Amino acid sequence: MPKSPSPPAFETGLNGVESEFVRFFVNLATALGMPRSVGEIFGFLFSADSPTAFDEVVARLGISKGSASQGLRFLTQIGAVSQVYMPRDRRTFYEAETRMRQLFSNALRESVRPHLEGNSRLVASIESRIDEEAETLGSEAAEHFRARAASLRGWNEKALQLLPLLDKLFSLPAPFLPFQLNETGSSEETGP
Amino acid sequence: MPKSPSPPAFETGLNGVESEFVRFFVNLATALGMPRSVGEIFGFLFSADSPTAFDEVVARLGISKGSASQGLRFLTQIGAVSQVYMPRDRRTFYEAETRMRQLFSNALRESVRPHLEGNSRLVASIESRIDEEAETLGSEAAEHFRARAASLRGWNEKALQLLPLLDKLFSLPAPFLPFQLNETGSSEETGP
DNA sequence: CATTTGGTTCAAGAGTTTTTGAACTAAATG
DNA sequence: CATTTAGTTCAAAAACTCTTGAACCAAATG
């Protein structure tokens, strides 16, 4: 019989509270079109009170090493999780980014912004297509298409401009939220 | 040979410009985790210069009636497309909502807000789970979990508060965007 | 009132994404 | 240097999502 010098050490399965956290983030992840396992991992790490080893993520969540490896890599890439090196332990430990402001900024920078920039290019290719085919289309149709493309471009640019502002707003301490932006006239805020 | 009293009437396939619009919205749709066909339909309607019949959507895009039916229903539900009744024509015509402000508001109201509200409930259930299991967990662990849950709650509420503001900002004419929101003190804008 | 037209529904097929687990690499350990 | 441990990779299986098309319903038409 082989000796068991270091007992596998961690429980298997989650306690009730941990599974509620996991549920929350699984829900969020799927809403954002991410794999369930990514939600599980982040939820588990978010609920942990100290950095947690790869091993333990696998054992406690009961997912495969493959899923854990890929999920952790992904979460690390998007800056939602970071590696923590623990002295005297060869394993890699992981920690969730719990500062939501950070998470939010990362998401804006890593996902939203690149997409909007991609859109800009796509709008440009719509516009050049209109120019190319203007003859064939006739000037009325061409004008119509140009107007639609211009609207797309306008809104995409606006979104791009709004990005840094959004970032700031989100990191503003709650009592500062500028809720009286009411120079626009419409006053629907003052409830019954 | 059967007579052909009313020739099927519309071309099949899209012209170059139309397919660029479609490409744009297919890209957007998949980024948002929606079916490709939804992107196709919206893109096609967005490029159209007048309300378009179900028939024509099917024929021009070359998709099945099933996809068109479901896609149009979905788009109608989320307020991205509306039905237009045309006198003397029994078919239903559809028109894309081209006012991006509207589209954006609809999305906020129909998708983002409900999700955030769902989150509120999930946070509540995390919190009640902590209370239930407080004994078993020990006070230290319970305190830790409560802190994490509180952070979740806080950010979720902030997001919820920010929603109407966001809506307003997005509908603000471009030159008005309040880019000097700098009373917060932190000045990281002035480059190296 | 039989037929055509416009459209919906839904089961089955096609396609995609996620997860698994076994094979593997690399570093540490004895 | 043989073994154990930590983690990655990737092909195949499982799960899921989307699309199709045939059956169907309801309203209009002749």
Side-chain angles (χ1 to χ4, degrees):
Chain A
M1 177 196 296
K3 63 184 160 120
S4 56
S6 50
F10 18 79
E11 326 262 306
T12 194
L14 304 176
N15 71 39
V17 174
E18 287 166 335
S19 32
E20 286 299 325
F21 277 106
V22 169
R23 185 197 309 290
F24 182 95
F25 285 104
V26 164
N27 175 69
L28 187 62
T30 57
L32 297 173
M34 290 167 179
R36 170 191 178 81
S37 62
V38 164
E40 294 180 293
I41 295 169
F42 187 82
F44 176 58
L45 293 178
F46 186 90
S47 78
D49 70 347
S50 59
T52 305
F54 183 89
D55 269 40
E56 190 168 350
V57 173
V58 170
R60 302 284 308 279
L61 286 171
I63 62 181
S64 67
K65 289 202 291 175
S67 282
S69 178
Q70 293 182 181
L72 284 166
R73 175 162 26 150
F74 172 75
L75 286 166
T76 303
Q77 276 169 2
I78 67 172
V81 151
S82 49
Q83 298 187 341
V84 176
Y85 292 95
M86 298 293 255
R88 332 207 103 267
D89 198 318
R90 181 141 93 79
R91 295 169 302 170
T92 315
F93 285 69
Y94 294 90
E95 191 177 47
E97 172 61 77
T98 54
R99 290 162 304 175
M100 295 282 160
R101 178 151 81 281
Q102 275 297 332
L103 279 173
F104 184 76
S105 292
N106 289 346
L108 247 43
R109 185 164 15 74
E110 302 282 331
S111 309
V112 183
R113 176 170 268 279
H115 258 117
L116 291 176
E117 286 165 354
N119 281 352
S120 290
R121 264 169 257 122
L122 287 176
V123 173
S125 87
I126 295 174
E127 286 168 335
S128 62
R129 200 52 102 78
I130 297 171
D131 291 343
E132 284 167 30
E133 300 194 3
E135 308 287 73
T136 332
L137 291 166
S139 68
E140 193 175 346
E143 271 329 300
H144 161 72
F145 284 137
R146 265 193 262 274
R148 288 286 148 94
S151 141
L152 238 40
R153 166 175 295 288
W155 288 96
N156 196 64
E157 269 160 18
K158 185 172 229 167
L160 229 27
Q161 282 182 37
L162 234 36
L163 235 42
L165 178 59
L166 235 191
D167 205 356
K168 249 176 205 160
L169 274 180
F170 211 74
S171 65
L172 222 51
F176 269 113
L177 291 182
F179 256 117
Q180 52 299 39
L181 193 77
N182 276 336
E183 306 139 275
T184 44
S186 67
S187 61
E188 290 135 351
E189 240 69 330
T190 46
Chain B
M1 177 197 296
K3 62 183 160 116
S4 56
S6 49
F10 17 80
E11 326 262 306
T12 194
L14 305 177
N15 70 40
V17 175
E18 287 166 335
S19 30
E20 287 298 326
F21 277 106
V22 169
R23 185 197 310 290
F24 182 94
F25 285 104
V26 164
N27 175 69
L28 187 61
T30 58
L32 297 173
M34 288 167 181
R36 171 190 177 81
S37 62
V38 165
E40 295 180 293
I41 296 169
F42 187 82
F44 175 60
L45 293 178
F46 186 91
S47 78
D49 70 347
S50 60
T52 306
F54 181 90
D55 269 41
E56 190 168 351
V57 172
V58 169
R60 302 284 307 281
L61 287 171
I63 62 181
S64 67
K65 289 200 291 175
S67 283
S69 178
Q70 292 181 180
L72 284 166
R73 175 163 26 147
F74 171 75
L75 286 165
T76 303
Q77 275 168 1
I78 68 171
V81 150
S82 51
Q83 299 187 340
V84 177
Y85 292 94
M86 298 292 255
R88 329 210 104 268
D89 197 320
R90 180 141 93 80
R91 295 170 301 170
T92 315
F93 285 69
Y94 294 89
E95 191 176 46
E97 172 62 77
T98 54
R99 291 160 303 175
M100 294 282 160
R101 178 151 82 281
Q102 275 297 330
L103 277 173
F104 184 77
S105 292
N106 288 346
L108 248 41
R109 185 163 16 76
E110 301 283 330
S111 308
V112 183
R113 174 170 268 279
H115 259 116
L116 291 176
E117 285 164 354
N119 282 351
S120 289
R121 263 170 257 122
L122 287 176
V123 173
S125 88
I126 296 176
E127 286 169 334
S128 61
R129 200 52 101 81
I130 297 172
D131 290 345
E132 285 167 30
E133 300 194 3
E135 309 287 75
T136 332
L137 293 167
S139 68
E140 193 175 345
E143 272 328 300
H144 162 71
F145 285 137
R146 266 193 262 272
R148 289 285 148 95
S151 142
L152 238 41
R153 167 176 294 287
W155 287 97
N156 196 63
E157 268 160 17
K158 184 174 231 165
L160 229 26
Q161 281 183 38
L162 234 36
L163 235 42
L165 178 59
L166 234 190
D167 204 356
K168 250 175 206 161
L169 273 181
F170 211 75
S171 64
L172 222 51
F176 269 114
L177 290 183
F179 258 116
Q180 53 298 40
L181 194 75
N182 277 336
E183 307 140 274
T184 44
S186 68
S187 59
E188 291 136 347
E189 241 66 329
T190 46

